[in-house]
Amino acid sequence: MANLIRSAKSGRAWTLYDLDSYNIHLKQQEPLEFFGVPVLPDPAVDPELLQHLEANNMQQHHNARLIKLVDLVMLRSWGESAIVDFTVELLQLTGYDHQNRLARRRIDMPLFLCGKWRHMKTDVCLMDCKQNNILLVVQGDKWLEDREPLNARARLVAEALAAFTKNNANRQSSPLESKVNIPVLLTVSVMPGIVMVDTTPIFFKIPVTQELVTHVQQGTYPPTPTIATYCFPPLPCHISDGMKPLSNRHQILSCCEAFKTIIGI
């Protein structure tokens, strides 16, 4: 793997090949192991969202709006823009976007890669506006027949690297309060991420170290492997059905609730 060619690519151009070239590996876990809980929590949403299949049967506008966006995404003709709108609405409805936390679209994060600056643009990210930090990165993609969009996972990892460096840059420009007023830089961080495939989230924990970032910046092979873990929601219906079936909806929203602990909210 050390002999693989590494080049300066934008985030949109990353593939699984690029993960191999930087000794980054993806490992699937079962949901309970991934979230570190004995049982998935109940969804913290309005009960009618779990009881009514169609938007027209709902009384609350925000619930109906989310399901209308689910229907729009499932049409498949609207592309990733509909997935972005759906994701922002989901983060707002489930309490991710709250008070100092803000869900933002299409944030451009530069990353120094193989000696050149390249752009890593998230579809959606969750920001802590008080600390000016990125808490979560989201990459949207579409199902193509029965094939998983594997390269979306690579793009998510590229965005996690950029988010790590951006958070450190923010710490340098606005030092955290301390007795000697010296900025506390991150040397290692687990960046939470989601690949939103239509309306089905795949949850990720991506460990990022300064060592890994340095190798990416220099275009060299890291001797230490990076293991990013991920999990699928335990869905009773087909994964491509996403949040439309009520049984799937309950499990996805339960996982969204469990994921809050990993993000730290």
Side-chain angles (χ1 to χ4, degrees), residues 46-63:
D46 191 313
E48 76 167 0
L49 193 61
L50 304 171
Q51 297 167 356
H52 299 293
L53 183 66
E54 302 296 343
N56 291 338
N57 297 326
M58 297 179 178
Q59 299 296 319
Q60 299 298 323
H61 171 73
H62 56 274
N63 295 334

Side-chain angles (χ1 to χ4, degrees), residues 124-144:
V124 177
C125 72
L126 184 69
M127 291 191 63
D128 181 335
C129 296
K130 187 175 181 179
Q131 298 291 335
N132 199 25
N133 280 343
I134 295 175
L135 304 175
L136 168 71
V137 289
V138 183
Q139 172 66 48
D141 214 328
K142 305 290 290 182
W143 280 104
L144 299 175

Side-chain angles (χ1 to χ4, degrees), residues 96-214:
Y96 283 67
D97 182 317
H98 182 66
Q99 293 182 340
N100 291 321
R101 300 185 300 271
L102 180 65
R104 298 190 60 192
R105 297 171 169 88
R106 311 292 190 187
I107 296 300
D108 190 6
M109 300 180 295
L111 179 65
F112 197 65
L113 179 66
C114 294
K116 298 180 181 179
W117 286 104
R118 290 293 181 263
H119 295 277
M120 310 292 159
K121 183 176 291 186
T122 66
D123 283 333
V124 177
C125 72
L126 184 69
M127 291 191 63
D128 181 335
C129 296
K130 187 175 181 179
Q131 298 291 335
N132 199 25
N133 280 343
I134 295 175
L135 304 175
L136 168 71
V137 289
V138 183
Q139 172 66 48
D141 214 328
K142 305 290 290 182
W143 280 104
L144 299 175
E145 298 175 352
D146 289 328
R147 293 176 295 164
E148 294 182 33
L150 298 178
N151 287 333
R153 304 176 187 183
R155 296 195 292 270
L156 185 75
V157 171
E159 293 163 10
L161 292 170
F164 175 91
T165 58
K166 184 174 180 62
N167 286 349
N168 259 348
N170 291 339
R171 286 168 177 252
Q172 287 180 307
S173 60
S174 301
L176 298 179
E177 291 184 6
S178 66
K179 291 182 180 179
V180 292
N181 199 33
I182 297 176
V184 181
L185 298 184
L186 299 169
T187 57
V188 60
S189 176
V190 175
M191 179 59 63
I194 294 174
V195 171
M196 187 67 72
V197 189
D198 289 338
T199 61
T200 300
I202 308 172
F203 301 92
F204 285 76
K205 293 185 290 188
I206 306 168
V208 183
T209 64
Q210 187 56 53
E211 177 192 7
L212 174 60
V213 170
T214 299

Side-chain angles (χ1 to χ4, degrees), residues 1 6 9 11 23 26 30 39 44 53 70 80 82 89 95 100 118 126 150 152 178 185 200 204 228 232 251 258 262:
M1 295 298 182
R6 285 165 284 279
K9 293 182 177 180
N23 205 6
L26 304 178
E30 293 301 315
V39 63
L53 183 66
V70 169
E80 292 183 18
E89 193 73 22
N100 291 321
R118 290 293 181 263
L126 184 69
L150 298 178
S178 66
L185 298 184
T200 300
F204 285 76
F232 291 88
Q251 295 289 12
I262 293 171

